[in-house]
Amino acid sequence: WLKSFLPQGPEELRLRSCRPRPNLAMSVVVTTASIGGQGCDEDRTQQEGAVSPVAVMEDPKKPKTVGFRNYEDSEFQDRVHRTYYNIQTLQTVESDIAKLSSYRQLDKAVMSVDHMMQFLDTIIDESDPDNDLPQSYHAYQTAESVLSRYFLDRHDLQKLSRVPLETFFSSKEWASLPAQAQRMYQGRTLSSHLPHITDWSWFPLVGLIHDLGKVCMEEGFGSMPQWSGVGDTFVLGCDFDPSNIFSEKSFYAMNPDSKCRAFQGKYGMYKPKCGFNQVLMSFGHDEYLALVLEGHASDVQQLKDAGEPVPCKTLPPEAIYMVRFHSFYPWHTPRGEGRGYTHLASEEDWRLLPLLKALQKSDLYSKTKDLPPIEELEAFYGKLIREHFLPQLRW
């Protein structure tokens, strides 16, 4: 259905030359766009008069929450609260379609994955309550966590260790899974659950690059405000599910889409069990990188058909799925209100849920102050990049 909104047919790509290599000694904080939409022309008119949320007041008598994804009293609570207010009030079907139409052109740059990694260190994710470390550090942390959790030998990436799928879920989560999903997962590992995948070397690579789409907030890559680049994603065009973070604050009630009749009800403009690949997700770094990876796959196929040299390995569709939905927390790792959007999930979404859970555990629980030796890791991951990617990609 989405194709009817987007331009069709081949279009000439206007690819910009690469910017100079950024100075990694500097860490530039990307400021949050104002509540009124200043700095984002497309939403300025419709959002004029929007009210800034009240600053979060901490109760000194209340014990501090300990753990990751602390959205109650973290060190960065005010900026996180402000960012999610913007996400849930400003992300709309209309603006999302416009962003997709722009970013699917892949006309921002032609650049290598290695070079693009350098841009991550100019970005601070203001939706993250856990830390404000440079993004490239977290990229290597996540990749290393994937290796340590799911592989017996970092030099043999064909095989995974035998981690039961049941361990990806808490006991409460497991008990709440549909019986069909429990039967699908019980007694299985990732390898036995997805036996058609015989080479898993792409998995730590996905951990490394999963946040590369955050460059959409950089000048030259769209200059998206924080609320359209980071944070948990949710389905647009239907009711806002209570499993979403901060749903109890009713931020979404101030979103124009909440007043649109076509988007009312839990199905809104969708059909039951249509599948998440058929819905419109709030736009962010997940979708941008997924579009880049799909474009790369298409380019590789065209080169292959023309008899040109191509990388020796490719990313499977499961890898792009993981990238596209890794921030879809109300689905893969909900908070308190049960798993969200199950009425839209297809059998394929249930089949791939363990993959999202596996990446989530490495993404979240790698956030420690013990930074990996990045210089030593560059050679290891550089080899993986060369095996899976062309020297330059369209962004």
Side-chain angles (χ1 to χ4, degrees):
W1 66 271
L2 190 58
K3 291 181 180 179
S4 62
F5 293 99
L6 301 176
Q8 299 298 304
E11 298 183 29
E12 182 178 359
L13 296 174
R14 301 178 304 281
L15 301 176
R16 301 182 182 181
S17 59
C18 298
R19 293 174 9 171
R21 181 184 178 96
N23 180 1
L24 298 187
M26 301 179 63
S27 180
V28 181
V29 178
V30 180
T31 58
T32 305
S34 70
I35 301 300
Q38 295 178 9
C40 182
D41 292 340
E42 67 181 71
D43 287 310
R44 184 177 299 161
T45 302
Q46 74 175 43
Q47 297 299 335
E48 283 182 350
V51 180
S52 172
V54 178
V56 178
M57 301 299 292
E58 293 188 13
D59 182 351
K61 297 180 180 180
K62 183 179 178 181
K64 283 281 186 179
T65 303
V66 179
F68 294 110
R69 284 181 65 81
N70 170 16
Y71 290 100
E72 297 179 10
D73 51 15
S74 76
E75 179 182 354
F76 314 108
Q77 191 63 24
D78 284 343
R79 80 176 191 195
V80 171
H81 189 264
R82 180 176 63 248
T83 301
Y84 273 99
Y85 175 87
N86 287 334
I87 290 171
Q88 295 174 11
T89 59
L90 301 179
Q91 289 266 11
T92 66
V93 168
E94 182 179 7
S95 67
D96 205 82
I97 290 172
K99 293 182 182 75
L100 281 173
S101 180
S102 171
Y103 277 96
R104 71 191 293 266
Q105 305 304 314
L106 301 179
D107 59 358
K108 306 297 185 287
V110 176
M111 194 176 294
S112 69
V113 171
D114 303 81
H115 196 173
M116 192 62 73
M117 289 279 294
Q118 312 304 320
F119 284 90
L120 284 180
D121 285 339
T122 68
I123 297 169
I124 295 294
D125 184 339
E126 295 184 2
S127 71
D128 189 346
D130 298 327
N131 70 64
D132 57 357
L133 294 172
Q135 294 288 304
S136 66
Y137 284 22
H138 175 56
Y140 282 110
Q141 287 174 326
T142 303
E144 285 292 287
S145 180
V146 169
L147 283 173
S148 63
R149 285 173 178 272
Y150 306 119
F151 292 85
L152 294 174
D153 184 351
R154 67 186 293 117
H155 299 293
D156 180 9
L157 302 184
Q158 303 291 319
K159 301 176 183 178
L160 294 175
S161 55
R162 297 180 61 82
V163 179
L165 297 188
E166 294 98 312
T167 62
F168 295 158
F169 303 86
S170 67
S171 57
K172 182 179 179 181
E173 256 192 300
W174 180 264
S176 68
L177 287 173
Q180 182 179 358
Q182 290 184 357
R183 289 192 297 270
M184 188 188 303
Y185 307 148
Q186 198 159 22
R188 302 281 186 89
T189 64
L190 285 175
S191 294
S192 61
H193 182 57
L194 302 168
H196 64 286
I197 299 178
T198 57
D199 181 353
W200 288 85
S201 59
W202 55 270
F203 192 6
L205 186 57
V206 166
L208 181 73
I209 69 171
H210 74 285
D211 279 344
L212 270 186
K214 289 179 181 178
V215 299
C216 69
M217 298 185 292
E218 280 282 276
E219 180 185 358
F221 293 89
S223 300
M224 287 290 107
Q226 286 273 330
W227 59 264
S228 196
V230 299
D232 293 4
T233 56
F234 61 96
V235 181
L236 299 172
C238 63
D239 282 351
F240 190 72
D241 199 279
S243 61
N244 283 292
I245 190 67
F246 291 136
S247 62
E248 74 282 358
K249 297 185 180 295
S250 301
F251 293 157
Y252 186 73
M254 298 184 67
N255 187 307
D257 282 2
S258 68
K259 310 299 191 297
C260 181
R261 184 176 301 178
F263 306 149
Q264 302 300 307
K266 69 177 186 178
Y267 294 111
M269 59 184 188
Y270 308 114
K271 294 181 180 180
K273 300 181 180 180
C274 60
F276 298 138
N277 275 322
Q278 301 301 317
V279 306
L280 194 63
M281 301 294 297
S282 55
F283 188 85
H285 68 281
D286 312 57
E287 184 63 33
Y288 179 35
L289 182 56
L291 291 172
V292 170
L293 296 180
E294 288 174 341
H296 176 263
S298 176
D299 291 344
V300 168
Q301 187 59 54
Q302 290 183 32
L303 289 172
K304 186 176 181 180
D305 293 343
E308 299 290 334
V310 296
C312 61
K313 298 182 180 182
T314 59
L315 296 179
E318 288 84 355
I320 300 177
Y321 182 96
M322 290 172 73
V323 167
R324 176 167 274 130
F325 298 110
H326 77 266
S327 296
F328 191 20
Y329 269 79
W331 161 247
H332 64 68
T333 312
R335 289 170 57 95
E337 295 292 337
R339 196 170 307 281
Y341 302 101
T342 56
H343 51 286
L344 299 177
S346 65
E347 184 176 349
E348 179 73 352
D349 295 315
W350 285 107
R351 186 178 74 89
L352 297 180
L353 176 59
L355 269 182
L356 292 178
K357 297 289 290 183
L359 179 61
Q360 180 266 340
K361 290 187 176 298
S362 290
D363 182 11
L364 182 62
Y365 298 110
S366 66
K367 296 177 181 177
T368 69
K369 296 296 182 181
D370 297 326
L371 302 181
I374 292 180
E375 294 79 6
E376 298 177 17
L377 296 174
E378 284 182 341
F380 180 85
Y381 290 102
K383 180 175 181 291
L384 285 181
I385 290 172
R386 291 190 298 273
E387 288 177 344
H388 290 83
F389 290 111
L390 295 168
Q392 292 188 318
L393 284 70
R394 293 183 293 130
W395 297 84

